[in-house]
Amino acid sequence: MSEIKETARCLIIGSGPAGYTAAIYAARADLKPVMYQGMQPGGQLTITTEVENFPGYPKGITGPEMMEEFKEQAERFGTQVRGGVVTEVDLSKRPFMAKADDGKTILAEAIIIATGASAKWLGLESEKKFMGMGVSGCATCDGFFYRGQEVAIVGGGDTAAEEATYLAKLCKKVFMIHRRSELRASKAMQHKVLNTPNIEMVWDSAPEEVLGDESGVTGMRVRNVNTGESRDLVVMGVFVAIGHKPNTGIFEGQVELDEMSYVKTKPGTTQTSVEGVYACGDVQDHHYRQAITAAGTGCMAAIEAERFIGS
Ligand code: NDP
């Protein structure tokens, strides 16, 4: 593919709530942003069902529909939204350089990184089959749909522990499936989980299959790793909380990353270790991970980019 060189004032990499919010603000500030949507246009919200906690949608909205609206709003002010992937960046000098898989090389005055994080999944066929039909990667997003029901959560870290206690407030019972006999979560979280009466620990157990029918999930088959025995839990929802990984592969060695490979930002800002490069949304946040917090930091990134370009 022949190389096409272009210049852009502001390049946005990623198209979740952070990227689109950055685009809306940058476009309205006349930065004429160019956005590469990345591997999963619309980001993680496109694999959830109903979003009920984003202000402005009193009746709720599906994740994919919401992201279409974000896109429309970003385009309305002149964002160039491109369905491609940025494969390489050079942030060592200005203008910054980014290469995309459409053969274009963009020279940008400022870059906003909004590539998000990807939830880790178990890799079971049945997990994929029931995704959004009872299998979820986010208790805060989807827990509400299982009020009064029995659910399972897989994982033994802080995320799983936090989500289990959140679900326990809404659900009749929560089975917490962990592959070992000891939680990885912090002592305080362990204490909370083990003292919540409607959380039942399912120790030493590996998830084998998500069970279900045309109505969605009906159960979870787990195998005891010591005895090899399988057991079927009757649950209507399965939450997978075995960690996330930030999508920062192309930024390694270019901006400072933390020990978990999230982009490091200066506290209270979206400024990365490189002046003129900003990071917003889940790629720099493993704590809140909400569409609304991602959107908030997207707005911050665009304002900071505008000030940088104008300075
Ligand atoms: P972690 O990597 O800490 O935990 C992942 C859990 O999933 C582990 O218990 C692991 O088991 C289990 N697991 C991984 N892969 C599989 C698999 N294929 N099948 C079954 N189980 C699996 O991820 P978290 O998202 O929980 O936390 C990430 C970081 O964020 C941590 O540093 C955590 O402390 C932090 N965090 C802090 C919070 C807070 O302070 N409030 C809230 C949430 C996260 P095993 O233990 O056997 O490896």
Side-chain angles (χ1 to χ4, degrees):
M1 204 184 285
S2 62
E3 191 186 32
I4 306 159
K5 272 206 170 138
E6 279 183 8
T7 55
R9 298 193 78 192
C10 178
L11 174 67
I12 300 171
I13 309 175
S15 59
Y20 280 132
T21 306
I24 293 164
Y25 274 78
R28 295 187 80 249
D30 215 19
L31 299 188
K32 302 191 170 35
V34 172
M35 170 192 278
Y36 276 87
Q37 286 182 302
M39 300 261 248
Q40 195 177 350
Q44 289 188 79
L45 274 184
T46 57
I47 53 163
T48 61
T49 46
E50 203 71 6
V51 180
E52 293 188 328
N53 54 7
F54 200 96
Y57 296 99
K59 297 187 178 74
I61 185 166
T62 69
E65 274 174 323
M66 185 164 113
M67 294 326 293
E68 262 313 302
E69 295 204 351
F70 273 49
K71 176 168 176 271
E72 205 180 297
Q73 195 171 350
E75 285 179 326
R76 181 179 151 206
F77 299 108
T79 306
Q80 271 191 54
V81 178
R82 298 181 182 170
V85 176
V86 170
T87 54
E88 191 186 329
V89 292
D90 181 357
L91 309 180
S92 62
K93 53 183 184 299
R94 293 210 292 263
F96 304 117
M97 187 280 288
K99 282 189 179 177
D101 63 356
D102 58 3
K104 294 197 170 126
T105 296
I106 319 286
L107 298 174
E109 287 174 55
I111 288 188
I112 296 179
I113 301 172
T115 47
S118 305
K120 291 188 199 160
W121 297 100
L122 297 164
L124 303 171
E125 261 316 302
S126 51
E127 172 189 54
K128 218 186 279 170
K129 183 172 166 196
F130 293 109
M131 190 82 67
M133 283 177 67
V135 172
S136 166
C138 176
T140 323
C141 320
D142 297 329
F144 189 71
F145 304 116
Y146 301 92
R147 284 186 319 276
Q149 299 176 7
E150 304 206 352
V151 297
I153 184 154
V154 183
D158 277 318
T159 303
E162 240 178 31
E163 297 206 335
T165 51
Y166 176 82
L167 289 168
K169 290 186 198 130
L170 298 168
C171 302
K172 192 165 144 204
K173 182 165 186 169
V174 180
F175 293 98
M176 186 165 178
I177 302 162
H178 185 36
R179 60 186 179 184
R180 294 186 295 132
S181 57
E182 194 188 356
L183 291 174
R184 175 180 297 280
S186 60
K187 285 280 180 275
M189 278 316 296
Q190 289 192 28
H191 186 75
K192 225 168 158 181
V193 163
L194 301 176
N195 286 289
T196 302
N198 61 339
I199 297 178
E200 180 181 324
M201 290 306 308
V202 184
W203 298 113
D204 296 315
S205 294
E208 238 180 9
E209 196 182 342
V210 180
L211 308 170
D213 54 29
E214 60 289 340
S215 69
V217 168
T218 57
M220 179 86 186
R221 179 165 301 153
V222 295
R223 184 178 40 83
N224 186 295
V225 293
N226 300 323
T227 64
E229 265 171 42
S230 288
R231 170 183 173 194
D232 289 353
L233 306 167
V234 179
V235 292
M236 304 296 283
V238 171
F239 291 86
V240 179
I242 60 172
H244 282 77
K245 79 180 173 346
N247 302 319
T248 50
I250 59 166
F251 304 109
E252 271 170 33
Q254 299 280 340
V255 291
E256 241 182 86
L257 306 180
D258 71 10
E259 61 288 348
M260 292 191 293
S261 297
Y262 286 81
V263 177
K264 266 191 179 173
T265 50
K266 203 168 132 207
T269 76
T270 61
Q271 173 67 64
T272 69
S273 58
V274 177
E275 215 190 339
V277 179
Y278 305 91
C280 51
D282 288 10
V283 75
Q284 52 84 58
D285 167 28
H286 54 77
H287 190 74
Y288 298 104
R289 292 193 194 120
Q290 300 302 300
I292 189 73
T293 50
T297 54
C299 158
M300 289 162 67
I303 291 175
E304 287 169 56
E306 181 197 353
R307 288 186 185 148
F308 171 75
I309 291 172
S311 65

